[in-house]
Amino acid sequence: NAGVTQTPKFRILKIGQSMTLQCAQDMNHNYMYWYRQDPGMGLKLIYYSVGAGITDKGEVPNGYNVSRSTTEDFPLRLELAAPSQTSVYFCASSTGTALNSPLHFGNGTRLTVT
Amino acid sequence: DAKTTQPPSMDCAEGRAANLPCNHSTISGNEYVYWYRQIHSQGPQYIIHGLKNNETNEMASLIITEDRKSSTLILPHATLRDTAVYYCIVRVFEGNKLVFGAGTILRVKS
């Protein structure tokens, strides 16, 4: 079972470049999330989606954009990369609708902006 | 902001029970308590969750106090592979979000 798949695993960007972090899940989950984790810190929510065509901001949305055109995919876009965006990015999904459904996480994308 | 408070670190002897405490004094009536762990910066791994009653699965037990203001995660026989950061999380109703705190670093020692 694939679960939540994130690509790429690693990426180095120069300041001002843009990129898209890909996230796909094969569990038919309605809810999907993007988190970032800075070294030695807990996870912070960037954006989330409760279903195709619906997205909303989390705690730290500045500098990022998302879209949700299908149930399976939830890409995260960085338009003008900055050193402050150096982090590990985790995508997650859940069945949603109720509070009683665990999140399933991918293995992360490690991004360095120099 | 995270709605939970955890000790920053704990040690446990291999083979003994690890008891990880968590305070969540502002939890609302319909909010679940979740526990995740993270090993070597991998993606967080789901352990267990509960609302009011104590819960047990193949990984751990969750004890929630009657007033729901605190809980304890119990790993009954800790192994070296259980060394990780353990996050206690209250699931926020709006958007079904998980808001992570700093977690507890559990070190299992032989």
Side-chain angles (χ1 to χ4, degrees), chain A residues 1-113:
Chain A
N1 294 334
V4 178
T5 302
Q6 293 184 238
T7 56
K9 288 184 171 58
F10 303 92
R11 184 72 185 267
I12 299 174
L13 283 182
K14 295 187 184 301
I15 295 172
Q17 287 185 321
S18 61
M19 78 165 293
T20 299
L21 283 67
Q22 301 291 345
C23 176
Q25 53 91 10
D26 62 359
M27 297 173 282
N28 201 32
H29 286 171
N30 286 325
Y31 283 67
M32 295 188 74
Y33 311 78
W34 275 106
Y35 286 87
R36 61 174 285 173
Q37 185 174 34
D38 298 332
M41 306 292 285
L43 281 74
K44 292 189 179 297
L45 182 65
I46 305 172
Y47 271 95
Y48 66 99
S49 169
V50 302
I54 305 169
T55 63
D56 208 345
K57 296 178 180 179
E59 303 171 79
V60 290
N62 292 341
Y64 306 94
N65 282 300
V66 294
S67 60
R68 184 93 182 273
S69 57
T70 67
T71 299
E72 294 78 19
D73 300 299
F74 190 39
L76 178 71
R77 179 81 176 166
L78 283 70
E79 292 293 349
L80 291 171
S84 61
Q85 293 176 307
T86 293
S87 191
V88 181
Y89 292 84
F90 291 103
C91 179
S93 71
S94 71
T95 56
T97 66
L99 299 172
N100 189 19
S101 53
L103 268 65
H104 299 264
F105 284 84
N107 282 325
T109 292
R110 284 154 182 77
L111 176 66
T112 302
V113 182

Side-chain angles (χ1 to χ4, degrees), chain B residues 5-7 9-10 12 17-23 35-37 47 60-63 70-75 78 82 84-88 103-107:
Chain B
T5 304
Q6 298 176 254
S9 65
M10 294 181 62
C12 178
N19 296 279
L20 290 86
C22 180
N23 288 323
W35 283 85
Y36 283 78
R37 71 181 183 184
I47 302 173
S61 295
L62 174 60
I63 308 298
S70 66
S71 61
T72 301
L73 177 74
I74 301 172
L75 306 178
D82 291 323
V85 180
Y86 287 76
Y87 295 101
C88 169
T104 296
I105 299 172
L106 175 68
R107 300 183 186 91

Side-chain angles (χ1 to χ4, degrees), chain B residues 38-99:
Chain B
Q38 192 173 24
I39 301 173
H40 297 309
S41 296
Q42 296 175 10
Q45 177 188 22
Y46 165 76
I47 302 173
I48 198 167
H49 72 285
L51 182 63
K52 295 179 182 178
N53 300 320
N54 298 337
E55 302 287 345
T56 296
N57 63 19
E58 65 278 4
M59 290 183 68
S61 295
L62 174 60
I63 308 298
I64 302 174
T65 58
E66 190 170 345
D67 62 8
R68 302 211 324 123
K69 293 185 177 182
S70 66
S71 61
T72 301
L73 177 74
I74 301 172
L75 306 178
H77 304 288
T79 70
L80 298 178
R81 288 175 293 181
D82 291 323
T83 293
V85 180
Y86 287 76
Y87 295 101
C88 169
I89 302 156
V90 170
R91 191 147 186 185
V92 178
F93 180 75
E94 180 186 350
N96 267 309
K97 295 181 289 189
L98 287 179
V99 180

